[in-house]
């Protein structure tokens, strides 16, 4: 943790870890098998859950001992048009698992950052209830104004301008316009928006420069 100590001296905000429940279960069980397990409530799924949670509990315990500000989660829960499983089934199976781990993190005085690609509109209230401090999601596939109408001011939005359309295919002017919309609708009471976006190799240099300038 030498580098973390150096960043702490610089006043940096330090995020540690990367906790994946759903995706780790897919690696172990296979994606198709896991979806069938969820639909049919198969016993094998709960064996995998126990195995993964034993690992994640130990993982969280180690991270919260360190001098960090937050712990990150990452599970993709959406397609481009809906959640990957029904929100009710998500709440039944996965929400209690996240709650246990998030409660451990909160008890240690750390914040929680959560990444989830795709359409997760119906899950925002649950993330808010669980105590997630910042959420990284594909706002533009759901609609920034739609999301803001229900959830702005209740959770911090951690990016992002669309890395599927605007960043690789738009213009610098498009990027500035998107940033302005996000600041208008999500930056509530001077907070609630972290102007960050993932940049892939298909993004032109001029668009990368525009992205950095848009949130400066």
């Amino acid at each position: 943790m030498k580098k973390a100590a150096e960043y702490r001296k610089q006043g940096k905000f330090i995020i540690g870890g990367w906790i994946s429940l759903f995706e780790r279960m897919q690696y172990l069980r296979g994606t198709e098998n896991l979806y069938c397990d969820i639909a049919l409530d198969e016993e094998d799924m709960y064996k995998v859950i126990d195995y993964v949670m034993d690992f994640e509990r130990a993982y969280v315990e180690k991270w919260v001992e360190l001098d960090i500000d937050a712990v990150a989660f990452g599970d993709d829960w959406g397609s481009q048009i809906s959640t990957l499983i029904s929100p009710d089934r998500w709440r039944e199976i996965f929400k209690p698992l996240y709650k246990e781990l998030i409660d451990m993190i909160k008890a240690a005085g750390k914040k929680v950052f959560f990444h989830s690609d795709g359409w997760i509109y119906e899950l925002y209230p649950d993330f808010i209830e669980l105590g997630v401090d910042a959420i990284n999601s594909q706002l533009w596939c759901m609609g920034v104004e739609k999301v803001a109408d229900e959830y702005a001011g209740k959770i911090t939005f951690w990016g992002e301008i669309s890395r599927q359309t605007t960043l690789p295919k738009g213009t610098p002017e498009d990027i500035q316009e998107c940033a302005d919309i996000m600041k208008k609708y999500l930056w509530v009471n001077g907070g609630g928006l972290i102007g960050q976006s993932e940049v892939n190799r298909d993004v032109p240099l001029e668009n990368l420069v525009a992205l950095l300038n848009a949130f400066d």
Side-chain angles (χ1 to χ4, degrees), residues 192-205:
L193 175 63
I194 300 171
Q196 178 266 341
S197 292
E198 183 177 323
V199 176
N200 297 317
R201 66 180 67 188
D202 57 353
V203 177
L205 180 59

Side-chain angles (χ1 to χ4, degrees), residues 1-8 14-16 63 66-68:
M1 290 297 289
K2 182 179 178 182
K3 285 187 177 180
E6 293 172 359
Y7 292 143
R8 176 65 69 211
I14 303 171
I15 304 174
W63 271 108
L66 302 176
D67 183 22
I68 59 174

Side-chain angles (χ1 to χ4, degrees), residues 136-197:
N136 177 242
S137 52
Q138 291 182 283
L139 293 163
W140 293 90
C141 80
M142 294 173 279
V144 172
E145 294 180 43
K146 177 183 174 72
V147 172
D149 283 345
E150 288 293 329
Y151 307 120
K154 299 175 183 178
I155 193 168
T156 292
F157 293 93
W158 171 24
E160 64 181 37
I161 292 175
S162 175
R163 61 181 184 273
Q164 295 174 310
T165 56
T166 309
L167 288 177
K169 300 174 184 177
T171 65
E173 292 74 22
D174 293 332
I175 291 167
Q176 183 64 59
E177 181 181 0
C178 288
D180 290 342
I181 289 171
M182 291 171 68
K183 285 184 276 188
K184 177 181 178 181
Y185 290 102
L186 301 174
W187 193 4
V188 176
N189 297 323
L193 175 63
I194 300 171
Q196 178 266 341
S197 292

Side-chain angles (χ1 to χ4, degrees), residues 39-58:
L40 300 173
D41 204 33
E42 293 284 0
E43 184 180 345
D44 284 343
M45 175 182 67
Y46 294 99
K47 294 178 182 178
V48 175
I49 286 173
D50 289 342
Y51 186 75
V52 170
M53 284 297 288
D54 283 346
F55 171 83
E56 297 296 4
R57 290 185 192 102

